[in-house]
Amino acid sequence: MKAPTWLTLHALLVFAFLYLPIVILILYSVNGQGVGGFPPRALTLNWYRILFNDGPIWDSVLNSLLVAAAAMLIALLFGIPAALALDRANFPGKALFRRLVLLPLILPGIITGLSLLMLFRVAEVKLSLLTIVLGHGTALISVATTEVFAGLQKVNRAQEEASLDLGATYWQTFWRITVPNLRLSIIGAALLIFTLSMDEIAVSFFLIGRDNTLPLEIWGRLRRGITPEINAISTIIFLFSWMAIVLWYRLRTRAEVTP
Amino acid sequence: MARTLLSANASSAKTTTMKTMSEPAIASTAKPTSLLSVRNVAKHFGKNIVLRDISLEIAEGEFLTILGESGSGKTTLLRILAGFEQSTSGEVWMQGERLDTQPPYRRRVNTVFQNYALFPHMTVEDNVGYGLRVAKRPTEEIQARVAEALSKVKMSEYAKSKPSKISGGQQQRIALARALVNRPRLLLLDEPLSALDANLRRQMQVELKALQREVGITFIFVTHDQEEAMVMSDRIALLRSGELEQVASPREIYSRPATSYTAQFIGHTNLLQADISRGTAMCDRLAWPTSLPDGSALFSLRPESIRLAKVAPPVIASPKTASPIRFRAHLRDRAFHGATELLRVETDGGLILTIRTATRDLPETPLEFEFLAADAIPVSDSDNSNNKERR
Amino acid sequence: MFSRAYRAAITVPPLIWVAVFLLVPYLLMFCYSFWSVSESGTIIHSWNLANYRELLTKPVYWETLLRSMWIAVRVTFFSMLLGYPLAYFLSFHVGARKDLYYQLVIIPLWVSYLVRAYAWKTILGTDGVMNTLLQYVHLTSHPLDFLLYSPFAVVLTLTHIYTPFTFLPIYASLEHIPRNLVEASHDLGATPQQTFWRVIFPLSIPGVLAGATFAFVLSLGDFLAPLLLGGPSGIMISNIVVSLFGAAYNWPLGAAISLCMLALVLALIVFSERLERKWSFS
């Protein structure tokens, strides 16, 4: 059925609203005049060149990569069992457990960050990349759990029952049938978690020690004033995140199609 | 029972049903007036031709069933009448006014959906009164008409229930009430009984037929179940691959099928490919008199027309009745169907026939069977019909 | 169904992590809120209600909280205004490329908050795109300074960020509506408009509630946008907390405010879920 004109127009405007700021940012990153003046009169890759020579930025990129990798492992290591437990096991306190695991998804990052800060203070743990890893891991377990849980709904129970019927134990069934079925969900979840960790700022804000992650490095510079290379690094972040998310989405929809 | 050459040919062509209008609808109206006129309706989905050139006249007050397999186009045709699809070409007229150019919410047509499509967030009575509320009828009128509709389908005590709390059969009645309360000129039913179990289904068939007689509204019923069609309809329109194969009353379509497809789709039959020479049709070792010209022809012989020779009543010699044709066959298989049995037999020449008999104890095989020549109905060959004239 | 070892393996590790890194920190926050800070900057572990008294009596906290809630309400409202028709359009009026458009809407959701907030900062500045454009079409003669460093900027930026958040659950609930209900409504004489208000919208309410809760709760607790774009007039409650854990060094008071926020958020979530259950019919 064809849509009324105002509805189509509205949809177009919303798309524009969602994307124009990014487009403008990308334009700025190649703008010859830096942060002043629009529209760009001269195009240049100068800012990218400056960016590539900027040491501290790349240090922070490395830090972010390490943190993201570690956080991804933690989130998957604890999130996959959590999803299985929620889907299949019954135990006392399940309702509370489910609430707690999923809470960081909807809770503002400041609460997650501050509560962990207090934990580290009391436990006398110094703030560092490790504390950031622990923070990301905690926040992102909820993402892993949600993604894997959704993937579990699509796993064909009949296959698992057939496996048991044919003589396999629960462990064997788990590794031979369940996990391969979940493969796409897990890979997709890993991708998503990695990207979210790279971009994470709210929780990291409170748990940062001496070493910066990329978002916090950028944040620090923003407080001091805008330089055009920030446009360049933002564009790069945007493009990489975009690609990763598209990949995640493709994997996730493919997981639905494979029987 | 003798069939003339002319009438056999008349019903075997794919006709516009102006001819079948001479068959009076067995409805309460003495003089059937045409309510709906479907004129050369065709529907394509891209390259896929779902309906080709459908023309049909539907009388007021009649119960017409559109019968067909899945993929025959029957649901598409219904949706075109309801307004949910647009035909690619052709027109639909209702009582002198063009129907198919109107959106569904302006047609005096209502639909009973296959999965009932009851609104889950409204009570039963709110569901039933929906059409009246939307038309902004006064509250008292709505209440009265809803109560009346609910009592007609015997669901008055469920008025305040939610659809999720009532059974499938009950939901179906509510869907019916919801449609009928608006007093449409035409009611469309899209396989409404297919989700019900067999016993409930049979019961609903009877109730629906009685309801239609009572309210006098024209019903167009879509199903793939040929038994259902025969039980309920005044006329059946058999649809096959987007074309009307035959449109006739249940009795006519059963006893005088026009094509081999019709003969096989409705009930069981034996198709005999016969060579005709000088007034005698010969198939395998069987021979019977026919008035068709020389050549080859296809005949339909219903299983119940073949009887065990021993139990056949003594034939009263009369110039009108020809003597039955006898043959011998070996029993290969039998299937128990309650009141009757279906036997699969093989003649000496290797011809396999299906025979329906009520006899329990069968004598030793080989058995002797017989049938009357008049029961061998000539039908046109559906598989070869593609080379017939195309419009 | 499962062996005890298997059951233990999948429940115990996550339970431990959740207990250590979620439950215990919240409990600590609870404890901190009853302590106080000394002159020299050490935490005194004496239990009292001083912090809560402070919150109730000093107007600045109430004002900021109310301002934050007002900002959150506006963000929720505008996100809905943008998100709902978009979801409806995608669900009911887009044919073959539905999936593509869906991706286009939700992918920005996961892409760096910082980048998007920063983009708005450059757009709304005195030299930014907005001002340049307005002056170019002669709507204004000099740069507008309320565009940036104001509640307006915060609302605008957060709306941009949270519109995909509201879109998601609304779209999901709209997709869930069987299309034959829409056909049935038309069949019974209702125009598309009547069908929307009587059938489609009521059945989409759970999605609307979920989306609204997300947008409201997350924007209420936001502190980054105000820091980047809010200016002095755009300070939100979380900013007060941030400074209490930073320069203003009063962890117990900050914990008290955080705890109140947590309680408020939990109450909203529970309330919203209850409403969602009432409005869900499947």
Side-chain angles (χ1 to χ4, degrees):
Chain A
M1 208 169 56
K2 204 172 167 298
T5 331
W6 69 266
L7 189 64
T8 318
L9 204 62
H10 180 280
L12 277 165
L13 285 174
V14 175
F15 270 112
F17 178 67
L18 288 178
Y19 279 91
L20 278 182
I22 311 291
V23 170
I24 291 173
L25 185 73
I26 298 177
L27 278 176
Y28 265 133
S29 72
V30 291
N31 183 0
Q33 291 164 274
V35 288
F38 190 85
R41 261 169 278 261
L43 295 179
T44 170
L45 286 176
N46 200 23
W47 312 120
Y48 288 93
R49 226 171 293 132
I50 296 183
L51 179 67
F52 284 123
N53 292 322
D54 187 329
I57 285 261
W58 297 106
D59 289 339
S60 69
V61 168
L62 184 63
N63 290 337
S64 279
L65 287 170
L66 291 171
V67 165
M72 182 181 77
L73 284 171
I74 293 177
L76 287 174
L77 210 59
F78 290 90
I80 296 176
L84 286 166
L86 285 176
D87 187 49
R88 287 141 187 237
N90 269 314
F91 50 93
K94 183 174 180 178
L96 177 65
F97 173 68
R98 153 185 266 209
R99 275 242 180 263
L100 280 174
V101 166
L102 299 178
L103 203 50
L105 270 179
I106 190 168
L107 222 47
I110 184 172
I111 298 186
T112 310
L114 282 177
S115 58
L116 283 172
L117 178 63
M118 283 180 246
L119 176 73
F120 294 135
R121 167 62 85 86
V122 162
E124 287 177 20
V125 175
K126 242 173 49 137
L127 296 181
S128 64
L129 286 183
L130 173 66
T131 51
I132 296 191
V133 166
L134 293 172
H136 285 196
T138 307
L140 294 171
I141 285 179
S142 49
V143 173
T145 308
T146 329
E147 288 289 300
V148 174
F149 187 84
L152 275 172
Q153 306 312 305
K154 294 168 197 139
V155 167
N156 195 348
R157 283 309 159 85
Q159 281 187 37
E160 296 177 321
E161 288 169 0
S163 166
L164 293 169
D165 182 79
L166 291 164
T169 65
Y170 294 120
W171 268 118
Q172 288 174 317
T173 305
F174 177 71
W175 287 109
R176 287 166 187 266
I177 307 291
T178 316
V179 168
N181 266 308
L182 285 176
R183 206 166 33 106
L184 283 176
S185 291
I186 294 178
I187 295 178
L191 206 54
L192 182 62
I193 293 168
F194 191 88
T195 310
L196 290 176
S197 171
M198 289 290 295
D199 288 336
E200 212 291 323
I201 181 167
V203 172
S204 322
F205 193 88
F206 302 97
L207 303 175
I208 187 173
R210 238 182 9 176
D211 304 300
N212 268 344
T213 58
L214 180 59
L216 286 170
E217 175 71 32
I218 298 177
W219 176 265
R221 291 169 185 229
L222 279 179
R223 304 302 280 148
R224 283 171 280 172
I226 297 179
T227 59
E229 30 168 346
I230 296 183
N231 294 325
I233 186 74
S234 301
T235 305
I236 295 181
I237 293 175
F238 176 77
L239 289 172
F240 269 97
S241 301
W242 176 278
M243 288 193 301
I245 297 301
V246 169
L247 205 55
W248 158 72
Y249 187 81
R250 293 281 160 83
L251 282 173
R252 192 224 240 169
T253 35
R254 261 221 303 163
E256 284 173 30
V257 174
T258 33
Chain B
M1 282 236 286
R3 294 282 171 261
T4 64
L5 173 67
L6 270 147
S7 68
N9 276 344
S11 52
S12 69
K14 292 198 173 68
T15 57
T16 59
T17 56
M18 287 304 183
K19 294 208 185 99
T20 58
M21 268 304 290
S22 61
E23 177 90 16
I26 315 167
S28 43
T29 53
K31 180 186 59 169
T33 48
S34 171
L35 173 79
L36 195 69
S37 179
V38 178
R39 301 179 190 170
N40 305 106
V41 162
K43 178 68 184 173
H44 304 199
F45 286 109
K47 288 225 183 78
N48 192 16
I49 304 177
V50 177
L51 291 173
R52 305 169 198 267
D53 200 20
I54 305 282
S55 294
L56 194 54
E57 293 288 320
I58 293 146
E60 209 168 315
E62 94 166 293
F63 194 122
L64 175 83
T65 296
I66 302 178
L67 177 66
E69 308 172 345
S70 48
S72 56
K74 58 189 192 299
T75 301
T76 308
L77 181 57
L78 199 74
R79 286 171 65 83
I80 290 177
L81 296 178
F84 307 130
E85 304 275 1
Q86 280 281 84
S87 61
T88 312
S89 61
E91 301 178 353
V92 180
W93 290 73
M94 185 155 85
Q95 286 178 331
E97 283 176 14
R98 189 82 189 272
L99 184 69
D100 55 313
T101 47
Q102 304 213 346
Y105 39 92
R106 278 201 242 287
R107 304 187 186 197
R108 290 299 310 277
V109 175
N110 285 127
T111 307
V112 177
F113 289 79
Q114 188 170 9
N115 293 314
Y116 320 129
L118 295 181
F119 303 122
H121 57 299
M122 298 183 200
T123 60
V124 158
E125 67 182 1
D126 285 338
N127 259 285
V128 174
Y130 184 82
L132 301 173
R133 282 204 309 280
V134 153
K136 302 213 177 37
R137 309 299 307 166
T139 325
E140 315 82 49
E141 181 187 333
I142 298 180
Q143 277 174 357
R145 283 167 72 169
V146 166
E148 182 195 343
L150 282 176
S151 74
K152 267 222 186 71
V153 295
K154 308 190 194 75
M155 289 288 292
S156 304
E157 56 195 82
Y158 293 92
K160 305 272 188 227
S161 312
K162 281 267 171 65
S164 56
K165 299 282 194 283
I166 59 179
S167 73
Q170 292 171 326
Q171 289 180 9
Q172 204 259 347
R173 290 167 198 264
I174 300 301
L176 196 54
R178 185 177 70 174
L180 284 175
V181 78
N182 305 292
R183 298 189 194 136
R185 301 235 178 86
L186 176 62
L187 186 67
L188 307 172
L189 301 105
D190 186 5
E191 301 199 59
L193 308 181
S194 58
L196 305 176
D197 60 64
N199 282 331
L200 188 56
R201 199 166 173 167
R202 274 192 277 272
Q203 183 192 328
M204 281 309 298
Q205 285 166 7
V206 173
E207 284 193 30
L208 263 179
K209 180 74 181 162
L211 188 62
Q212 191 262 341
R213 290 261 172 91
E214 191 188 325
V215 299
I217 294 179
T218 312
F219 275 30
I220 297 184
F221 190 93
V222 162
T223 183
H224 61 272
D225 184 338
Q226 38 102 357
E227 275 184 43
E228 189 162 86
M230 293 212 281
V231 162
M232 303 176 76
S233 329
D234 294 329
R235 278 195 305 156
I236 297 177
L238 181 59
L239 203 57
R240 177 192 179 222
S241 303
E243 290 193 44
L244 284 173
E245 189 87 352
Q246 188 171 2
V247 183
S249 73
R251 280 183 208 277
E252 159 123 7
I253 217 174
Y254 186 80
S255 57
R256 284 183 284 175
T259 68
S260 58
Y261 179 82
T262 308
Q264 286 181 306
F265 191 84
I266 302 194
H268 297 261
T269 193
N270 296 292
L271 282 178
L272 306 171
Q273 184 75 46
D275 295 309
I276 303 175
S277 168
R278 288 201 291 252
T280 304
M282 288 233 333
C283 175
D284 185 43
R285 308 275 171 85
L286 305 171
W288 62 92
T290 172
S291 47
L292 290 181
D294 288 4
S296 94
L298 199 58
F299 287 82
S300 160
L301 184 61
R302 295 273 184 209
E304 63 269 17
S305 305
I306 308 177
R307 288 178 283 270
L308 275 168
K310 290 243 171 62
V311 297
V315 176
I316 301 166
S318 136
K320 290 221 187 88
T321 19
S323 53
I325 292 107
R326 284 195 167 212
F327 64 94
R328 208 174 63 159
H330 298 262
L331 181 65
R332 291 286 170 245
D333 214 346
R334 62 198 286 185
F336 183 66
H337 281 252
T340 58
E341 292 203 30
L342 225 48
L343 310 174
R344 220 156 56 105
V345 304
E346 187 178 346
T347 66
D348 295 328
L351 184 66
I352 307 275
L353 294 170
T354 307
I355 298 170
R356 187 185 289 279
T357 177
T359 311
R360 304 288 176 193
D361 303 313
L362 293 174
E364 290 294 310
T365 181
L367 303 160
E368 287 247 339
F369 296 99
E370 64 185 19
F371 64 93
L372 294 171
D375 288 332
I377 313 284
V379 294
S380 67
D381 191 343
S382 298
D383 293 327
N384 285 334
S385 62
N386 286 328
N387 48 19
K388 281 228 170 116
E389 8 16 285
R390 282 280 154 265
R391 283 141 227 163
Chain C
M1 178 192 165
F2 295 99
S3 67
R4 303 206 73 201
Y6 184 81
R7 268 235 305 246
I10 59 174
T11 54
V12 168
L15 268 173
I16 294 182
W17 185 282
V18 160
V20 170
F21 291 101
L22 282 171
L23 205 51
V24 167
Y26 292 151
L27 289 174
L28 278 176
M29 202 162 73
F30 182 77
C31 295
Y32 261 94
S33 70
F34 294 107
W35 298 337
S36 30
V37 66
S38 73
E39 310 273 288
S40 53
T42 52
I43 311 287
I44 308 169
H45 299 263
S46 65
W47 295 75
N48 56 62
L49 288 168
N51 294 319
Y52 290 100
R53 226 176 294 135
E54 167 106 359
L55 290 179
L56 286 172
T57 51
K58 289 267 178 63
V60 64
Y61 302 110
W62 276 110
E63 284 166 7
T64 315
L65 180 64
L66 284 171
R67 189 187 327 129
S68 307
M69 293 183 84
W70 179 227
I71 289 181
V73 164
R74 280 183 284 171
V75 170
T76 307
F77 176 74
F78 288 117
S79 303
M80 286 289 165
L81 208 60
L82 295 179
Y84 195 105
L86 184 65
Y88 178 76
F89 177 75
L90 238 64
S91 183
F92 285 91
H93 291 291
V94 173
R97 286 186 281 179
K98 197 188 248 202
D99 197 50
L100 173 67
Y101 290 128
Y102 178 76
Q103 288 182 57
L104 284 178
V105 177
I106 67 154
I107 283 168
L109 182 65
W110 303 109
V111 170
S112 185
Y113 176 109
L114 187 58
V115 166
R116 292 151 77 198
Y118 169 66
W120 279 108
K121 191 178 169 91
T122 58
I123 292 175
L124 296 172
T126 45
D127 277 333
V129 175
M130 202 60 158
N131 272 314
T132 316
L133 194 69
L134 288 174
Q135 288 171 67
Y136 185 75
V137 296
H138 298 298
L139 272 174
T140 57
S141 52
H142 54 267
L144 299 169
D145 55 0
F146 72 84
L147 287 182
L148 195 53
Y149 304 124
S150 61
F152 169 80
V154 175
V155 170
L156 184 58
T157 306
L158 290 180
T159 304
H160 179 262
I161 293 189
Y162 291 122
T163 296
F165 265 101
T166 55
F167 168 88
L168 257 178
I170 295 177
Y171 180 78
S173 69
L174 284 175
E175 281 288 275
H176 221 60
I177 299 177
R179 296 303 125 125
N180 65 0
L181 289 184
V182 176
E183 285 180 354
S185 175
H186 287 168
D187 182 79
L188 292 163
T191 61
Q193 221 193 3
Q194 286 174 311
T195 303
F196 176 78
W197 289 112
R198 288 172 190 264
V199 179
I200 297 178
F201 183 75
L203 292 173
S204 70
I205 286 181
V208 171
L209 285 171
T213 309
F214 258 132
F216 185 84
V217 163
L218 290 172
S219 34
L220 182 64
D222 197 271
F223 67 96
L224 290 163
L227 276 178
L228 264 184
L229 308 137
S233 54
I235 298 248
M236 289 173 68
I237 189 81
S238 294
N239 299 115
I240 295 187
V241 175
V242 167
S243 71
L244 286 172
F245 277 85
Y249 203 80
N250 188 342
W251 282 36
L253 187 58
I257 302 181
S258 300
L259 204 66
C260 292
M261 265 179 24
L262 179 61
L264 179 62
V265 164
L266 284 176
L268 277 171
I269 294 175
V270 168
F271 177 66
S272 166
E273 281 182 4
R274 206 158 283 173
L275 270 182
E276 280 175 51
R277 257 195 303 269
K278 201 170 89 100
W279 277 94
S280 98
F281 318 85
S282 308

